[in-house]
Amino acid sequence: MNGGEISSLNRSFLLGLLDDGRRSDGRTLEESRPLTMSTNVVSTAEASVEINLGNTLAIAGLKVSKGAPYPDRPSEGVLNVNIELCPMASPDFELGPLKPDAIELSRTIERGLHDANVIDLNGLCIEEGEMVWVVYIDIYALNFDGNLQDAGFLACLKLLSEIEGRQDEVFGEGSSNIIDLSARPISVTMLKIDEHILMDPSDEEESTGSARMTVTVDSEDNVRTVHKSKGGQFDGDDVIRCVRMAKVVAQQRRDQMF
Amino acid sequence: MAQDPHSSYELTDSDTRWIEQMEMKIGRIGRADGSCQVKLGGNNVICAVYGPREVYPRHLQDSLKAIVQCKYNLAPFSSQERKRPGPDRRSTEISRILGEALEEVMFVQRYPKTSIDIYFEVMEASIGIRWLSLVAASMALVDAGIPIKELASGCSVVVDGSGPSIEPPSELSPEQTLVEVGTLGDSDKFIMFQVDGGLSQDDMSQTMDVAQAGSKMVYDMQKEMIRGHFAQLSESDEEVGQ
């Protein structure tokens, strides 16, 4: 996400701190911001969650409805993740149709969920070629302070875990194995500024940094997805360092979520 | 309940119990200049204000006053059936109505060539969402420090054969009429007035009395909320000062 612009004064202040291994909010480079979640915040959704990752605030809701499958995948249901960058979330967000930023975010989150096999799309098929379950997850970013990637992913995971125990109720009898969160995948996003790698970047840091990396790790410490975004470069050592950092934070978040 | 000076209607216990359930939270959206979340029954709306700030796009700028740009948006999961994301005719209409009502409480001539942007994100919508949005917006304006003539308050009343009621049913039946008003504080001035259904002239004046009595109670709750919020702010400011 290209948040806002940052003054060169502020930028050099941030860079100066980083050289001492510090950040403007007092965190170490490897440290994530506090994560809090509360569920059942919207009664019209099948499941809902309000998530705070530092000052980043989002509300997400899950709804299911019946619809037609994609013509090239007649026996698969659909998982649709949509992230909305509300204009209230930041002075830099504007009104209008989805920006490429938001689409990239939605897609990465969707891929992260698919690659960890948390949802069995074949199980969502009602009648091949005719009708399937469509699972919609809509994420509303209400206050933006960086790293919507993780906030969005963790919100999705929480929503799915909310309906994991009552799948028969949501998708009808005999559909208890559609959602399977046993892999416990967690997405962790890091940012590279000069030679430094920063865990869970804030908006200010995202506006300063050059390259971003999202790693999804499962409970066996296997890497499920990697997504590099924005310009900049990572060398092999950087990638290994990111994965190592991601495992630590993923475990913390996993302990908190499950 | 104290007798309202403008109204001949006294709120019933069930009316007051309903309005008392209204929750307001000021300052939830840190990035915005001001914000407020309001919840009541099946309604949950977050309003945030930015401004007065530079007008974008530039050609909308007015050299005599600030323009008020309102955007009311429903989350796809805010209703029983999933709604396609993005604006539709209904939300465009409501944006318009809210913006015009709010312009009435602000001193727009004081901020020429600027824009005051008011965003509503509706997380859950039911009967009464319009007046609750108005309440949220006037609290957000206070939080943003934008001077206003008076708080916008409001109330909704559902009328059927058994008379008017402030507590709405979970769904409107075809025989029921919904009246939603926005008022200039506890005065008898309406800044928003919408009726959907059918009302006789007698029903109409009685309903207005009920709506005003309701608005008065809402107004008192808003004032109390604001006092509490600023008292808390000044406490935390003092702590920082020490």
Side-chain angles (χ1 to χ4, degrees), chain A residues 41-45 50 57 59 61 63 82 84 86-92 95 136 138 140 142-144 203, chain B residues 28-31 44 46-48 50 53 71 73-82 85 119 121 123-124:
Chain A
V41 291
V42 176
S43 69
T44 41
E50 182 180 309
L57 164 69
I59 292 183
K63 278 187 98 72
N82 167 46
E84 196 88 11
C86 299
M88 72 165 62
S90 158
D92 310 308
L95 293 176
Y136 289 104
D138 290 284
Y140 267 66
L142 297 171
N143 195 51
F144 178 67
D203 182 26
Chain B
R28 292 223 60 196
I29 310 301
R31 291 299 295 267
N44 182 347
I46 300 177
C47 175
Y50 283 92
R53 64 178 176 183
K71 167 125 191 293
N73 183 44
L74 284 164
F77 48 77
S78 63
S79 49
Q80 287 307 327
E81 279 296 303
R82 180 179 184 269
Y119 301 117
E121 296 295 343
M123 294 294 117
E124 202 177 334

Side-chain angles (χ1 to χ4, degrees), chain B residues 114-160:
Chain B
T114 65
S115 171
I116 297 171
D117 301 330
I118 306 176
Y119 301 117
F120 299 91
E121 296 295 343
V122 177
M123 294 294 117
E124 202 177 334
S126 174
I127 296 163
I129 190 65
R130 290 169 287 192
W131 74 265
L132 288 161
S133 299
L134 207 56
V135 165
S138 65
M139 308 286 277
L141 286 169
V142 171
D143 187 33
I146 297 174
I148 50 175
K149 299 168 194 162
E150 182 54 283
L151 286 166
S153 295
C155 193
S156 61
V157 181
V158 173
V159 189
D160 57 17

Side-chain angles (χ1 to χ4, degrees), chain A residues 69-71 73-76 122 124-132:
Chain A
Y70 291 120
R73 294 174 176 223
S75 64
E76 286 186 8
N122 288 307
L124 293 175
C125 183
I126 301 168
E127 199 189 332
E128 189 171 330
E130 296 294 324
M131 198 181 274
V132 295

Side-chain angles (χ1 to χ4, degrees), chain B residues 26-27 33-36 47 49 102 105-106 118 134-152 219 222-223 225-227 229-230 233:
Chain B
I26 299 178
D33 296 316
S35 60
C36 181
C47 175
V49 174
L102 289 163
V105 307
M106 287 188 264
I118 306 176
L134 207 56
V135 165
S138 65
M139 308 286 277
L141 286 169
V142 171
D143 187 33
I146 297 174
I148 50 175
K149 299 168 194 162
E150 182 54 283
L151 286 166
Y219 177 68
Q222 284 174 274
K223 282 197 298 190
M225 183 72 210
I226 290 169
R227 269 193 211 114
H229 177 71
F230 283 109
L233 272 189

Side-chain angles (χ1 to χ4, degrees), chain B residues 24-75:
Chain B
M24 296 176 271
K25 275 187 209 156
I26 299 178
R28 292 223 60 196
I29 310 301
R31 291 299 295 267
D33 296 316
S35 60
C36 181
Q37 178 176 30
V38 174
K39 292 191 216 175
L40 178 62
N43 294 295
N44 182 347
V45 57
I46 300 177
C47 175
V49 174
Y50 283 92
R53 64 178 176 183
E54 207 172 319
V55 182
Y56 183 83
R58 201 64 175 269
H59 71 268
L60 295 175
Q61 175 172 301
D62 187 329
S63 53
L64 297 177
K65 64 178 183 70
I67 59 165
V68 177
Q69 301 196 87
C70 259
K71 167 125 191 293
Y72 171 94
N73 183 44
L74 284 164

Side-chain angles (χ1 to χ4, degrees), chain B residues 6-20:
Chain B
H6 308 293
S7 155
S8 51
Y9 180 81
E10 236 177 286
L11 294 176
T12 64
D13 286 348
S14 80
D15 292 338
T16 50
R17 265 200 307 274
W18 176 253
I19 298 177
E20 267 167 10

